[in-house]
Every structure is written in structure tokens, then in C-alpha cells.
Amino acid sequence: MTNEIEIKYEEEFILNSRGMKQLTSRWIPVNENPKALIFICHGYAMECSITMNSTARRLVKGGYAVYGIDYEGHGKSDGLPGLVQDFDCVIDDCFQHFSNICEKSENKKKMRYLLGESMGGAVALLLHRKNPDYWDGAILAAPMCKIAKELRPNAMMVSILSALSKVIPTWKIIPTVDIVDIAFKVPEVREQVKANKYCYKGKPRLRTGYELHRIATDIEQRLNEVSLPFLVLHGEEDRVTDKSVSKQLHDVASSSDKTLKLYPGMWHGLLYGEPPENLEIVFSDIFNWIEERSKNGNTRLERELKEQNDDSVKAFNSQGLS
């Protein structure tokens, strides 16, 4: 790209419906009208302002405006670190913030895409389920449609953990390997994540583990309900989320526009955990996919305008008849 796009980064705390402060991040191209809006949904124990920063900046240099929010119990937002009390509240918080941005007058005609990584992929799919016609597409990087077998407790343990999560929800006793060590291929990235004080460390809390298992099971059982255009990306060597369910999502989703990219030799952290040459491949696929959809015009906006026009005609006709 000949002209380097200048990036303006801003942070703002907002209050959610439960009175908790949440950090929101935005990366905007300076003196450029963004081609589209991209809303990033970060992974479990991660956050937006630091771990997703390089991803956001790549996207802005491609001409897009990027927005993120740290979930309750994550990053710089309020809540006990690492605790997801109710995943439905996470979805409500994200939808409230993202839709407020979409409905601003300067953004109404812009296409809107979700980019979810790992648990954020589950967030993106549930945001779509909450309002199926609202988004123009989703990029799902190693989405948590099912937790990998080696990280998943057996059926008896799930039953015990589910019962305990109601009594001692904040306890950190779920047995699991260190996810950071098996998620990111580049050692420097692993060290950066471990050194980031806003990333949660330690065993998953009981309630969080219960909620992640509940949501992953629910999504896996309802993959056929996914209807928006999507690009799903998965490393062949992923040991955190199950790539077979990404294949299943691609096969059974009712979307007419769906693409699956599997990357031999790549791990879980596709957006910033791989060597530079692999990141180039992944982001080239992301940019090509968004550009292709943007070229086809904003069918969602056309549909909304038609519905508004139809409603106006109905209202006019009813007034004329009354």
C-alpha cells in the first residue's frame, strides 16, 4: 500500500445494564472514510486493547474502522478476573455497544462485520443468533463451537463441576493445561500474553467453565441455524478448539455464502500467534473475503430501505382509507 493510513486509537469506559464499567476500544483511520465497520470479539482470558491491537491495526491499514469491548471479568473491565457469570450477559453487552456504533448517522450505510477469535467466535455466532439479519458477515478464527477433547472434562466431571459452580462459582479448580502454551506458536507471543497483566492467568473458575461448556454445547447443536455470510479459519494443529466442528459448521449452516479455510501446520492463535509469513496468509484471506462481499453491494441496507418504504406505503394507504 503506497499511502500508509494513519491510525487513531481511543479508549472509553461505558456502563453496562448491570452498572459495571467496561472498557471499549476503537481504531479509526485518520482522514479516511472507513470502507466498513469491523467489531472484534476477543477470546477467553484475553482483552482488546493490547492482545488484539496488532490485529486491529492490520485491519485499519486495510481501510476499515475497528471496535472492541472487554467483556465483564476480562481486561480492564469490571468484574472478578476470569469470571463469566452468565454468557447471555456478555452477548447483551456486546450487542448494546456494537449496535450503538452501527446506528450512528455516519455509520448507518456502512457494512458491518464481526471478527471473533476462539471464545469470541462463539460470541459472534450468538450475536448473529440474537438478531439474525443485523450483520453483513462474520470472520470466525478457530471459533469455540466445541472445546478440544484434551481440554474437555469427562461427562462425570462435567456433572460434578456443574453442581459445584452453583455453590462455589468463583473457585479456580478446573483441571486443564496452560492454554497459552498450546495456543500460540511464536514463543515471544506466549511471553507477551503471560506478561500482560490484563490477561487472566490460572485455572478457569467453576462458573466460567460451566458457562463455556454450556455455550459450546448449545452452539454445536444449533449450527444449522447460522445463516449469515461467514469465513471460518482453523489451524490444522489447533489443540484448543475442535476443527472438526468448524468443518461441520461449514457443512450444515444454512448460509448460502460460507467459506472454510484450513491451514496445515498452524496452531490456535491465527490472528497474532503465528510467524509473520503465516499471518500474511491469514490476513490476505480475510481481506479478500471482505472485499469480495463489499463489492456485491450492501444487500442488508437495500432490504432495510425496502422494508421502510413498504411500511411507509402501508401507513399512507391506511391513512387514505380511514
Side-chain angles (χ1 to χ4, degrees), residues 5 16 31 70 114-115 120 127 159 206 208 242 261 318:
I5 291 177
N16 66 20
N31 301 325
D70 289 0
L114 297 164
L115 170 60
L127 284 168
S159 177
L206 276 172
T208 306
D242 196 330
K261 295 275 185 182
S318 64

Side-chain angles (χ1 to χ4, degrees), residues 38-57:
I38 299 178
F39 298 93
I40 53 176
C41 307
H42 66 75
Y44 164 70
M46 299 291 119
E47 47 78 59
C48 284
S49 63
I50 299 169
T51 51
M52 297 298 285
N53 182 53
S54 61
T55 296
R57 288 180 174 274

Side-chain angles (χ1 to χ4, degrees), residues 79-315:
L80 188 65
L83 178 62
V84 176
Q85 190 68 42
D86 185 343
F87 214 87
D88 296 338
C89 291
V90 171
I91 305 308
D92 290 343
D93 293 340
C94 290
F95 190 83
Q96 184 66 49
H97 177 56
F98 293 165
S99 61
N100 283 345
I101 293 163
C102 292
E103 299 306 328
K104 289 183 176 180
S105 56
E106 67 268 27
N107 291 334
K108 276 199 175 261
K109 292 185 179 178
K110 288 189 169 61
M111 295 183 80
R112 46 184 86 138
Y113 296 98
L114 297 164
L115 170 60
E117 178 196 46
S118 193
M119 185 184 88
V123 172
L125 289 172
L126 292 171
L127 284 168
H128 162 56
R129 188 191 293 175
K130 185 176 177 70
N131 193 334
D133 296 325
Y134 196 78
W135 310 100
D136 293 302
I139 300 126
L140 308 168
M144 189 191 77
C145 302
K146 184 176 184 178
I147 298 162
K149 189 177 289 184
E150 66 184 275
L151 296 180
R152 206 167 56 242
N154 62 42
M156 182 182 287
M157 184 62 79
V158 167
S159 177
I160 294 168
L161 294 176
S162 298
L164 286 175
S165 75
K166 296 174 177 64
V167 186
I168 44 174
T170 64
W171 277 29
K172 300 188 281 186
I173 60 171
I174 296 179
T176 184
V177 298
D178 189 333
I179 292 176
V180 173
D181 285 336
I182 62 170
F184 306 108
K185 184 187 287 183
V186 175
E188 291 80 11
V189 174
R190 294 202 290 269
E191 293 312 310
Q192 286 165 13
V193 171
K194 289 177 181 179
N196 183 348
K197 65 179 181 179
Y198 298 110
C199 290
Y200 173 71
K201 316 298 189 305
K203 290 185 172 70
R205 297 184 188 275
L206 276 172
R207 184 69 193 184
T208 306
Y210 168 78
E211 284 294 295
L212 295 185
H213 183 267
R214 175 178 75 85
I215 285 300
T217 304
D218 178 55
I219 289 173
E220 185 184 4
Q221 290 169 351
R222 298 172 64 181
L223 293 175
N224 61 306
E225 294 178 27
V226 177
S227 59
L228 86 170
F230 68 82
L231 167 66
V232 61
L233 316 164
H234 222 120
E236 294 270 17
E237 302 300 319
D238 193 333
R239 293 165 57 198
V240 179
T241 57
D242 196 330
K243 68 175 182 287
S244 69
V245 187
S246 282
K247 294 177 187 173
Q248 194 182 339
L249 167 64
H250 177 261
D251 291 342
V252 307
S254 58
S255 309
S256 57
D257 177 356
K258 49 189 178 179
T259 307
L260 171 66
K261 295 275 185 182
L262 294 173
Y263 300 107
M266 293 199 203
W267 290 20
H268 179 68
L270 294 174
L271 300 179
Y272 50 89
E274 289 286 322
E277 61 274 16
N278 288 353
L279 294 179
E280 287 300 322
I281 294 168
V282 171
F283 278 93
S284 173
D285 287 340
I286 290 172
F287 283 127
N288 288 340
W289 186 85
I290 298 177
E291 296 287 344
E292 194 62 38
R293 263 108 222 114
S294 300
K295 273 194 301 195
N296 294 335
N298 195 330
T299 52
R300 172 191 49 79
L301 185 63
E302 289 168 11
R303 185 184 66 249
E304 287 173 0
L305 290 172
K306 182 179 183 304
E307 287 169 359
Q308 287 172 12
N309 187 52
D310 290 348
D311 289 343
S312 300
V313 170
K314 283 179 192 170

